[in-house]
Amino acid sequence: MIAVPAESDDLAERFVAGDGDALRLVYERHGPLVHSFCRRTVGADAAADVTQEVFVAAWRARDRFDPHRGALGAWLMGIAKNKVFDVLRRRRVHVVDTDPVVATDGPIEAAPDPVDGIGDRMVLAGALEHLAPRARQMLHLAFVEDLTHEQIAARTSVPLGTVKSDIRRALSRLRAQMEGGDDRVR
């Protein structure tokens, strides 16, 4: 899992208010993650330019970010995902297909876009960091180790009803975080 440092409310609010020092701190904190994502999706040559575009766009749109509704890192990764899509779309426009057309009996399905998966996983990792440790543990056991609620209760010595409640609440909080809801409630 990618470790994303918790954002202080003060830093996010200073960023929204237009504090240049806050922009520098936000770049220092989130720049490496954004750059890594860009490098893996658009390549090393374009990564620095796309990373810069992300932070310029974020600075210009800072008044649209609400620090009380979601994490700044997740918001930046959403912008990064959009900027990467723009680069990839521009690249596809300039590619000429030299392969002959192949006849098929059914509809042609597009291959899944790998950028979606990377960006979503990075945003999810950031959202998971906002959950309490026990909630993260319950989700890990349920969805990574694929244990039943009963197996989780036996392994953790937590009552079955509590396991079910913890998982339900954790999923609800994750959903709210991913959709830009309040992530401060644990």
Side-chain angles (χ1 to χ4, degrees), residues 85-102:
F85 282 147
D86 291 344
V87 169
L88 295 177
R89 275 189 218 107
R90 283 193 301 264
R91 287 181 182 172
R92 287 185 191 139
V93 168
H94 298 294
V95 174
V96 177
D97 187 9
T98 57
D99 292 337
V101 175
V102 179

Side-chain angles (χ1 to χ4, degrees), residues 8-30:
S8 73
D9 288 339
D10 179 56
L11 179 59
E13 288 174 10
R14 287 176 39 216
F15 175 81
V16 171
D19 182 343
D21 287 333
L23 172 61
R24 181 183 52 78
L25 291 171
V26 167
Y27 181 79
E28 287 174 2
R29 181 170 291 160
H30 298 287

Side-chain angles (χ1 to χ4, degrees), residues 65-85:
F65 173 70
D66 182 358
H68 302 289
R69 290 189 41 93
L72 183 57
W75 184 67
L76 290 168
M77 287 305 299
I79 294 171
K81 186 176 173 181
N82 289 333
K83 293 296 179 184
V84 163
F85 282 147

